[in-house]
Amino acid sequence: MKHEEPVNKLVTDLIERAKELNCLYKVQESLNNSQLSTDQVCEEIIRAIPPGWQFPDVCCARITLGEKQYHDESFTESQWVQSARILMQDEPLGSIDVFYTEERPPADEGPFLKEERKLINTIAEQLGFYLLHRQLKSVFARKQKMQNENRREWHVVVDLLKRTDQKLLLRVSRKMINYLSWAGLPNAGELLEKINPVYREAGELLGESNRPFQKLDGSDLLVMTNEIYQLAEKHLSGNEIVELIQKWIKEDRSGFLVNTLEDSGTSLAEIANALERYHHLAPQGLELSEAREMSIRVALINRMLSSQHAFGNIARDFISVEDFYSIIQRVIYHTNSHGKLGGKSSGMILAEQILKKFQQETELFGEIRTPKTWYLASDGILNFISYNNLEDIIELKYKDIGIVRQEYPYVVQVFKNSPFPPDMVRGLSQALDDFGEVPLIIRSSSLLEDRMGAAFAGKYKSLFIANRGSKGKRLTELMDAIAEVYASTFGPDPIEYRAGQGLLDYHEEMGIMIQEVVGRKVGPYFLPAFAGVAFSRNEFRWSSRINQNDGLIRMVPALGTRAVDRLSDDYPILIAPGQPKLRVNVSIDEIVRYSPKYVDVINLETETFETIELQKLLRTYGADFPANTLIFSKVEEDRIRPLSLLGTDFENDFHIVTFENLICRTPFVKLIGEMLKTLEEKYERPVDIEF
């Protein structure tokens, strides 16, 4: 196909990325090993570098720190070199140089790849942080030895910062004088006025004066550094002063993450790099104040999940910075992506984190698991459209709905026959390696689903795939399903719904969730024991004793599609978690008539999604059906009896779905009820879940 990248090129790229990551992990392992000296760390890094480059057999490295150089015995300098400066708070300390001893084919930077440029820059940057941390750590370690000397501990730290980084000293000193002032310590206000006379008119800071405030010259603060710390020493112990300085220096090291997130032009790739850097620096002594951590959380929520105010107000209390590092490891995006994960993905992530936080209060929540999930960023669909020159399809939403219905099958075929951009293919290949050969479901996660008051359930496609066979076959099958979900963005139902909701003009992007299907093999089929949906509010109350807050569960055996979609030829089992003993059907005839008659499964032999008769499945594979005693009951002449472990004959007896033992003998219904109650309380609005 046009634009299609050869498989061997993709394999080569993936191998190179794996080598680079392995190199970076070895470097991090050395930097985090407190038992190694600086010399030993540099020697370890020298050994770790060559295997991370494209041609390790002719690769060697050198680290220069001041007058000192580190390299192995086989080191040879050549004209083919890639270098990166080692900085300590913007001051050059030395460099890392990587050489090829023999000529190699030209690439992005001489014979070197652009990814290797990022790798050497990252190693140099982290080595710089390590050296600063090591130097400061040695200073702080000397505190105990200086008790009998005339010089104060803070003098040593301040003198070091004056020599190495005056900008950092200014930032720390500013925090110290503010800390003293906020603590209400005597003379702190006077010192602020001395630094800048504008503070004498403190009322103006909160007033509406049209006179510009006087600019604070950084040199004034630098000159008065000693005075600031002398004042601090009158009211704080030496240990307290040094601990505050140490805390602020550690916090200052997170500035790169703040800068990345505050710049609206940064891409997801740059955010991912910043999060990875933060993750690896944390063991070296990077700390965040409560205010800074909250600021970073909010920025990450806005950039990756949702810019909706209501969502952000909840999410900031439950999703941590480290959670985002874990999430972005499973996000697929193109080089310049600025996309989000979409409404469905964001909702699932937030719900998962909320329930995790309440595990100690509600022991049942410890049993909750979320299926393994990978995400495609929402602007991936725009990249796909641009890559295949399909921009004219976007205009389809403004056509008459009859024309939309007529053209939609053509749109689906165009999408399914269009190649994916190489970045996306690489990401999907990595996802398949992570999933292995388990059935998958490809689900839409539209940005418009993120908008409060807009319900897009069932408007876009969700597709099951068997995910079996060779890697190439599985990758083709996955891309085909994603293309079809992308095409559903331009289907008649969502376009008609958007028009009715006044959302037609809103910019639509479609994120994708790729999830493993929970279940197991039963004969040729793959299925879970049961599945369904649950609502915190019950709008179908079959008894006057049931109120709206009792909630509603709709569930079926096997895959949950028949519980999500309302069908004319079959029925799910309905339960009110707040009143589980009040059943919809009471008589034997009603229970039999309105029990599920069909189940949805994945046929692993034909690799298709199928609907089959339940009785036919039970007669052949009933004994292997997971949790069968919890789901089925035996129909006898004058009663319906829940199954027991012994005496069950699926081949000859007639069984129906009642979930009697599940409801009465397990905490499942209570668990669902507690989940709904907790999520509605935190969301402050009705919620629904799928299980």
Side-chain angles (χ1 to χ4, degrees):
M1 290 183 185
K2 184 176 67 172
H3 299 305
E4 189 168 14
E5 194 170 53
V7 173
N8 59 351
K9 175 66 166 60
L10 292 177
V11 172
T12 301
D13 288 345
L14 290 172
I15 291 172
E16 290 303 316
R17 299 300 80 76
K19 287 165 56 179
E20 291 158 11
L21 286 173
N22 190 46
C23 171
L24 191 58
Y25 292 149
K26 287 184 177 179
V27 169
Q28 285 295 333
E29 187 177 359
S30 302
L31 293 173
N32 292 335
N33 189 342
S34 59
Q35 305 300 317
L36 299 180
S37 66
T38 300
D39 289 347
Q40 290 172 321
V41 166
C42 290
E43 290 165 1
E44 290 290 328
I45 293 174
I46 289 298
R47 283 192 284 271
I49 285 177
W53 262 249
Q54 189 178 13
F55 304 106
D57 53 327
V58 293
C59 182
C60 59
R62 176 181 66 198
I63 294 177
T64 303
L65 292 176
E67 301 297 322
K68 198 164 187 178
Q69 290 190 347
Y70 302 87
H71 53 75
D72 60 22
E73 296 178 357
S74 62
F75 172 77
T76 303
E77 193 169 342
S78 74
Q79 59 180 309
W80 304 290
V81 60
Q82 190 175 44
S83 301
R85 291 197 306 168
I86 301 170
L87 303 176
M88 181 188 289
Q89 294 293 327
D90 298 327
E91 293 294 324
L93 296 179
S95 66
I96 297 178
D97 305 297
V98 178
F99 295 90
Y100 281 150
T101 56
E102 298 177 9
E103 186 175 3
R104 286 295 180 265
D108 302 301
E109 183 183 324
F112 299 98
L113 301 171
K114 62 180 184 294
E115 289 82 6
E116 291 167 345
R117 162 53 58 195
K118 290 173 64 176
L119 181 58
I120 192 174
N121 286 347
T122 300
I123 295 172
E125 182 180 56
Q126 294 185 6
L127 181 55
F129 279 124
Y130 164 83
L131 294 170
L132 174 63
H133 178 68
R134 195 87 178 215
Q135 194 169 14
L136 290 172
K137 186 176 179 181
S138 66
V139 171
F140 292 129
R142 291 165 54 191
K143 288 195 303 179
Q144 298 301 320
K145 298 181 180 179
M146 299 181 60
Q147 291 180 350
N148 298 324
E149 298 181 13
N150 293 327
R151 300 192 77 206
R152 302 173 182 88
E153 294 94 333
W154 60 262
H155 264 294
V156 180
V157 180
V158 170
D159 287 349
L160 172 63
L161 293 178
K162 279 182 179 178
R163 293 195 308 271
T164 59
D165 192 344
Q166 292 188 354
K167 291 181 180 179
L168 177 59
L169 176 59
L170 284 174
R171 293 193 291 271
V172 171
S173 298
R174 187 176 292 112
K175 290 186 178 185
M176 179 61 79
I177 188 59
N178 287 333
Y179 177 85
L180 298 175
S181 299
W182 293 334
L185 299 180
N187 302 323
E190 289 83 346
L191 186 54
L192 269 176
E193 292 179 9
K194 188 175 179 182
I195 292 171
N196 190 351
V198 75
Y199 288 102
R200 294 175 192 154
E201 304 170 5
E204 289 190 12
L205 292 173
L206 301 176
E208 297 182 357
S209 171
N210 294 322
R211 177 169 57 84
F213 294 121
Q214 181 176 333
K215 182 180 179 181
L216 175 60
D217 189 345
S219 61
D220 295 339
L221 186 59
L222 191 61
V223 168
M224 300 189 67
T225 296
N226 285 356
E227 199 169 340
I228 291 172
Y229 291 103
Q230 286 168 354
L231 175 63
E233 194 172 43
K234 290 180 181 179
H235 304 283
L236 304 174
S237 69
N239 279 346
E240 287 177 317
I241 295 173
V242 175
E243 285 171 4
L244 284 170
I245 295 174
Q246 189 175 25
K247 171 187 172 184
W248 291 329
I249 289 174
K250 289 180 178 179
E251 182 181 312
D252 190 79
R253 297 175 67 192
S254 67
F256 69 90
L257 185 52
V258 176
N259 294 336
T260 299
L261 294 171
E262 290 301 321
D263 182 356
S264 60
T266 53
S267 65
L268 272 181
E270 291 169 317
I271 292 173
N273 288 337
L275 282 170
E276 184 170 5
R277 178 177 163 190
Y278 167 84
H279 174 76
H280 289 304
L281 283 176
Q284 299 178 30
L286 186 150
E287 292 182 0
L288 298 177
S289 67
E290 186 176 340
R292 174 161 286 195
E293 183 177 24
M294 181 59 72
S295 173
I296 292 173
R297 282 190 194 186
V298 171
L300 283 166
I301 290 165
N302 287 333
R303 293 300 304 275
M304 290 181 59
L305 300 183
S306 171
S307 54
Q308 294 291 308
H309 182 68
F311 181 92
N313 280 347
I314 306 166
R316 67 181 187 176
D317 294 329
F318 293 98
I319 307 179
S320 69
V321 178
E322 199 63 30
D323 289 332
F324 279 101
Y325 171 75
S326 300
I327 292 166
I328 208 162
Q329 304 305 306
R330 292 173 278 116
V331 179
I332 299 167
Y333 48 83
H334 61 89
T335 305
N336 298 313
S337 173
H338 289 75
K340 293 181 170 64
L341 301 191
K344 195 175 293 179
S345 299
S346 301
M348 186 193 72
I349 290 168
L350 176 55
E352 179 184 13
Q353 297 306 319
I354 289 174
L355 296 174
K356 277 184 179 179
K357 291 286 170 37
F358 284 89
Q359 281 184 3
Q360 291 184 340
E361 298 177 23
T362 307
E363 188 176 344
L364 284 173
F365 287 176
E367 302 300 315
I368 298 171
R369 300 289 182 272
T370 303
K372 182 183 291 184
T373 307
W374 278 67
Y375 311 90
L376 269 70
S378 60
D379 59 356
I381 186 173
L382 303 180
N383 188 36
F384 176 84
I385 288 172
S386 174
Y387 187 75
N388 292 286
N389 300 314
L390 301 175
E391 289 82 358
D392 58 316
I393 289 178
I394 297 175
E395 304 166 6
L396 188 65
K397 64 183 181 181
Y398 292 112
K399 295 183 179 181
D400 180 82
I401 194 65
I403 296 176
V404 174
R405 292 187 189 280
Q406 185 176 347
E407 293 189 7
Y408 178 57
Y410 165 76
V411 172
V412 172
Q413 290 305 316
V414 169
F415 271 60
K416 289 168 76 74
N417 284 283
S418 297
F420 278 70
D423 285 352
M424 192 177 293
V425 176
R426 280 192 288 269
L428 294 173
S429 176
Q430 291 175 331
L432 287 179
D433 289 340
D434 186 39
F435 283 119
E437 290 191 55
V438 298
L440 302 174
I441 180 171
I442 291 77
R443 312 180 70 189
S444 64
S445 185
S446 161
L447 286 193
L448 287 182
E449 290 178 295
D450 183 25
R451 301 184 61 83
M452 298 300 179
F456 278 78
K459 304 300 181 187
Y460 303 123
K461 282 198 172 182
S462 292
L463 299 174
F464 291 91
I465 59 174
N467 188 33
R468 291 167 69 86
S470 68
K471 177 71 174 293
K473 175 179 175 295
R474 291 160 55 215
L475 184 57
T476 299
E477 182 182 37
L478 176 58
M479 291 189 292
D480 183 73
I482 292 170
E484 189 168 341
V485 175
Y486 275 163
S488 70
T489 307
F490 304 97
D493 289 346
I495 287 178
E496 189 172 29
Y497 179 77
R498 288 173 62 187
Q501 296 291 316
L503 298 173
L504 202 57
D505 295 333
Y506 279 90
H507 181 61
E508 170 65 308
E509 293 181 9
M510 174 66 75
I512 296 284
M513 297 170 63
I514 307 171
Q515 284 188 313
E516 66 175 336
V517 178
V518 177
R520 78 181 193 195
K521 190 173 182 292
V522 177
Y525 306 114
F526 188 92
L527 50 88
F530 58 91
V533 291
F535 306 85
S536 62
R537 300 295 176 93
N538 192 328
E539 303 298 340
F540 181 68
R541 297 185 288 280
W542 52 88
S543 168
S544 59
R545 294 165 58 188
I546 296 174
N547 62 52
Q548 192 180 48
N549 294 330
D550 285 326
L552 174 66
I553 301 174
R554 296 166 50 92
M555 62 181 177
V556 295
L559 295 174
T561 43
R562 305 183 73 79
V564 176
D565 303 326
R566 295 184 182 274
L567 304 169
S568 60
D569 63 338
D570 209 2
Y571 305 92
I573 299 296
L574 304 182
I575 303 162
Q579 298 283 354
K581 294 182 180 180
L582 296 178
R583 308 299 171 82
V584 180
N585 304 303
V586 179
S587 69
I588 294 178
D589 289 344
E590 286 179 335
I591 294 172
V592 172
R593 179 181 177 184
Y594 294 108
S595 66
K597 304 296 189 298
Y598 299 90
V599 290
D600 290 340
V601 298
I602 298 172
N603 189 320
L604 297 177
E605 293 181 354
T606 62
E607 299 184 10
T608 56
F609 175 84
E610 294 182 4
T611 298
I612 58 177
E613 290 184 27
L614 177 61
Q615 292 304 319
K616 182 178 178 181
L617 178 68
L618 289 181
R619 281 195 295 270
T620 309
Y621 303 109
D624 298 325
F625 201 102
N628 52 22
T629 59
L630 300 179
I631 300 170
F632 304 110
S633 293
K634 179 183 176 182
V635 179
E636 299 178 342
E637 290 185 4
D638 57 348
R639 65 171 179 163
I640 297 175
R641 182 171 56 83
L643 294 191
S644 61
L645 292 174
L646 300 175
T648 299
D649 185 354
F650 282 104
E651 188 173 352
N652 297 303
D653 294 337
F654 180 55
H655 299 90
I656 62 170
V657 178
T658 62
F659 291 108
E660 186 67 25
N661 283 337
L662 179 73
I663 297 168
C664 298
R665 299 187 179 182
T666 76
F668 173 76
V669 175
K670 182 181 179 182
L671 169 60
I672 294 292
E674 290 296 326
M675 288 172 64
L676 294 171
K677 179 181 175 182
T678 300
L679 292 174
E680 179 173 308
E681 180 182 330
K682 296 306 170 186
Y683 269 87
E684 297 182 348
R685 57 177 49 84
V687 299
D688 59 270
I689 61 173
E690 298 181 20
F691 59 87

